[in-house]
Amino acid sequence: MLERVADETGGTPRRARARRSDSVRNRERLLAAARELFATEGLQAPLDRIATTAGVGPGTLYRHFPTRVALWEAVLEEPLRAQLALVERALANPDRWAGVAGYLMETCGHEAERGGYLNLMTTRYDGAPRLLEIRTAIQRRITELIRRARTEGAIRPDFTTEDLLFITLSNSAVAEVTREVAPNAWRRNVELFLDSLRPERAHPLSEPPMEPGQVARTMMRPAPRRSN
Amino acid sequence: MLERVADETGGTPRRARARRSDSVRNRERLLAAARELFATEGLQAPLDRIATTAGVGPGTLYRHFPTRVALWEAVLEEPLRAQLALVERALANPDRWAGVAGYLMETCGHEAERGGYLNLMTTRYDGAPRLLEIRTAIQRRITELIRRARTEGAIRPDFTTEDLLFITLSNSAVAEVTREVAPNAWRRNVELFLDSLRPERAHPLSEPPMEPGQVARTMMRPAPRRSN
DNA sequence: GCTATAACGGAGACCGACGTCCGGTATTCC
DNA sequence: GGAATACCGGACGTCGGTCTCCGTTATAGC
């Protein structure tokens, strides 16, 4: 798309320059490199290496995307939308159990494949309102998914949205550790989990579910964390 | 303990000097600082900060403990032994279900409290045979714990040691994220998990359990990992 | 083509962490 | 008390990562 800078000055409609072609090209290269490195090395992949992979200097990267979050915003929208589509497909499934179970397996499967995209649902997108918006939408759908399954007796009555988020979170940890050695181990783990949310097996949970307000603060952990 | 360096030269029994008192004192300070920082900031806490906290220079730290693992070896033996004691208590419980469930809750509880000691069971202690040994002992006990519970029908027949390790691993992730906001949220998660290993009406798991050999390679992930 | 300038890209400053070296000091032993 | 020396500690080199500045280059507009 040939976008022209909007003329903010109001009065004199002075034509702006078209974007330089090399700029457009470099931007594309940067996005491709970022997609690749984020997926393989995680959302904290070194920016300089992204620049190198893209075949541009670091200066160019920072001009296009002044912060890491800016780059996230450009790159992560697509996978987040895919995630959204996933929930919606689950919602459309009249078999409530299959909806929930399928969603969980697919989500966890995606995460297990693309290692870097773990935690798409749990990282803090501080300056990225678009991403936040999509994630909020996803969470709303999940809540609805759970609610329906619960009221129709497909899953235990005390199961909550947060519980489900925690399951995917748990899965990230398992997937990360097992990826190289036993790339399918996560599946077993999820199936085990699934058994825990069937209604007929439910035993009372001691802790009350978290309040909705807590979720936001909880799941959005500060971006850089060192594990171990 | 006033240890004297053993005279390796065999022939002339020349008395060695006693350890200098300041050396002993500094070592203690370093251990105390390491215990504190490992517990609060994780096993990857900056060594320089440990030195500073102990009130000594970095040189002193590296003389006493040339590598991070050396420091781990001195500091982590105690918590690992505590863990071992925990499993043994669980083994001693004639109520198999209570043994397994109690062990899981206590382990996860410990992890949730001392944030840094997450992953005691899953980090790689490359040059620390003493730690490895204890951990191996723990794993053997866990295996036995699971075996008994399984053969006596207290838990589902297809549940394995690895499954249990993954549960604690999952729990680390949840505990880490929720610690500040909802310090008890992990409990609910574990209870959910517990429901999944009850024997009645378990649903078949698609993937076969991992081979024992894989566990070692799997769980012992390389020490430095950056999350996200 | 020519010019104005948007965009490039790399050198390099800064930072936090690791690990070493060595002049100075404290402690032990006599 | 004095000598020998084990030990201290911080200055410093290195490294990987972030981010900026600015001289150079490529492109758009004419």
Side-chain angles (χ1 to χ4, degrees):
Chain A
M1 53 179 170
L2 263 203
E3 43 180 9
R4 308 212 167 239
V5 178
D7 189 2
E8 303 282 6
T9 56
T12 11
R14 193 169 35 76
R15 279 194 77 204
R17 269 191 174 225
R19 286 193 63 195
R20 273 174 56 164
S21 60
D22 54 350
S23 168
V24 175
R25 178 171 38 83
N26 280 337
R27 190 188 149 89
E28 281 318 310
R29 283 190 189 170
L30 280 168
L31 288 177
R35 263 188 288 267
E36 182 187 331
L37 289 196
F38 283 161
T40 57
E41 320 209 344
L43 299 183
Q44 298 297 333
L47 295 180
D48 276 18
R49 283 198 35 212
I50 293 181
T52 308
T53 305
V56 306
T60 302
L61 186 155
Y62 284 99
R63 193 165 334 95
H64 282 280
F65 307 101
T67 67
R68 182 181 292 276
V69 172
L71 193 46
W72 281 352
E73 189 155 27
V75 160
L76 299 184
E77 182 163 349
E78 188 192 319
L80 272 173
R81 288 206 184 282
Q83 182 73 5
L84 182 56
L86 216 59
V87 205
E88 284 177 343
R89 224 153 36 81
L91 267 175
N93 193 331
D95 179 341
R96 296 304 173 205
W97 171 261
V100 172
Y103 169 70
L104 249 180
M105 289 301 286
E106 287 184 85
T107 296
C108 293
H110 278 170
E111 287 203 337
E113 278 165 30
R114 293 163 304 168
Y117 286 4
L118 294 175
N119 314 336
L120 233 45
M121 293 299 290
T122 58
T123 24
R124 198 158 167 168
Y125 306 129
D126 267 339
R130 282 219 311 282
L131 300 187
L132 274 176
E133 197 183 321
I134 306 177
R135 180 160 62 192
T136 306
I138 295 174
Q139 284 173 349
R140 264 202 301 269
R141 305 289 198 292
I142 293 180
T143 303
E144 178 61 13
L145 182 69
I146 296 298
R147 198 190 58 73
R148 288 194 201 165
R150 221 172 27 205
T151 59
E152 299 184 22
I155 60 174
R156 58 193 298 164
D158 52 0
F159 194 81
T160 70
T161 309
E162 293 77 46
D163 291 327
L164 189 136
L165 286 179
F166 286 155
I167 292 181
T168 55
L169 180 60
S170 302
N171 183 66
S172 322
V174 172
E176 187 182 355
V177 164
T178 57
R179 182 167 313 115
E180 287 110 23
V181 177
N184 282 320
W186 65 268
R187 186 175 295 272
R188 190 175 160 87
N189 195 53
V190 174
E191 287 171 339
L192 224 36
F193 251 136
L194 278 177
D195 263 1
S196 78
L197 74 195
R198 293 178 192 276
E200 71 270 17
R201 301 165 63 82
H203 286 68
L205 302 173
S206 66
E207 297 286 326
M210 298 172 57
E211 298 155 28
Q214 284 182 303
V215 188
R217 273 174 297 151
T218 299
M219 304 296 286
M220 312 319 146
R221 55 180 162 178
R225 289 289 295 169
R226 112 173 335 147
S227 79
N228 257 23
Chain B
M1 50 177 170
L2 263 204
E3 41 180 10
R4 309 211 165 238
V5 179
D7 188 2
E8 303 282 5
T9 57
T12 12
R14 194 170 34 76
R15 282 195 73 206
R17 273 194 170 222
R19 288 191 62 194
R20 272 175 56 165
S21 58
D22 54 349
S23 168
V24 176
R25 178 169 39 82
N26 280 336
R27 191 188 147 91
E28 282 316 311
R29 284 190 190 170
L30 281 167
L31 288 177
R35 264 189 287 268
E36 183 188 331
L37 289 197
F38 283 161
T40 55
E41 319 208 344
L43 298 183
Q44 297 297 335
L47 294 180
D48 279 15
R49 284 197 35 211
I50 294 182
T52 309
T53 305
V56 305
T60 302
L61 187 155
Y62 283 100
R63 194 165 333 96
H64 283 280
F65 307 101
T67 66
R68 182 181 292 275
V69 173
L71 193 47
W72 281 352
E73 190 154 29
V75 160
L76 299 185
E77 182 163 348
E78 190 193 318
L80 272 173
R81 288 206 182 284
Q83 183 74 5
L84 182 57
L86 216 59
V87 204
E88 285 178 342
R89 228 155 31 83
L91 267 175
N93 193 333
D95 178 341
R96 297 303 174 207
W97 172 261
V100 172
Y103 169 71
L104 249 180
M105 289 300 288
E106 288 183 85
T107 297
C108 293
H110 279 169
E111 287 202 337
E113 279 165 30
R114 293 163 304 167
Y117 286 3
L118 295 175
N119 314 336
L120 232 46
M121 293 300 290
T122 57
T123 25
R124 198 159 169 167
Y125 306 129
D126 267 337
R130 283 219 311 283
L131 299 187
L132 273 177
E133 198 182 319
I134 307 179
R135 180 161 60 193
T136 306
I138 296 175
Q139 284 174 348
R140 264 202 301 270
R141 304 289 196 294
I142 293 181
T143 303
E144 178 62 14
L145 182 69
I146 296 297
R147 198 191 55 75
R148 288 194 201 166
R150 222 169 28 204
T151 59
E152 300 186 20
I155 60 174
R156 59 193 297 164
D158 52 358
F159 194 80
T160 70
T161 309
E162 293 75 45
D163 291 327
L164 189 135
L165 286 179
F166 287 156
I167 291 182
T168 55
L169 180 61
S170 303
N171 182 67
S172 320
V174 173
E176 187 183 354
V177 165
T178 56
R179 184 167 313 116
E180 288 110 20
V181 176
N184 283 320
W186 64 269
R187 185 175 295 272
R188 189 176 162 88
N189 195 53
V190 174
E191 287 171 339
L192 224 36
F193 250 137
L194 278 177
D195 266 2
S196 78
L197 74 193
R198 295 178 190 274
E200 66 270 15
R201 279 187 284 185
H203 288 68
L205 301 174
S206 66
E207 297 286 327
M210 298 171 58
E211 298 155 28
Q214 284 182 302
V215 188
R217 272 173 299 149
T218 298
M219 303 297 286
M220 311 317 144
R221 53 181 162 176
R225 291 289 295 169
R226 109 171 339 143
S227 76
N228 253 25

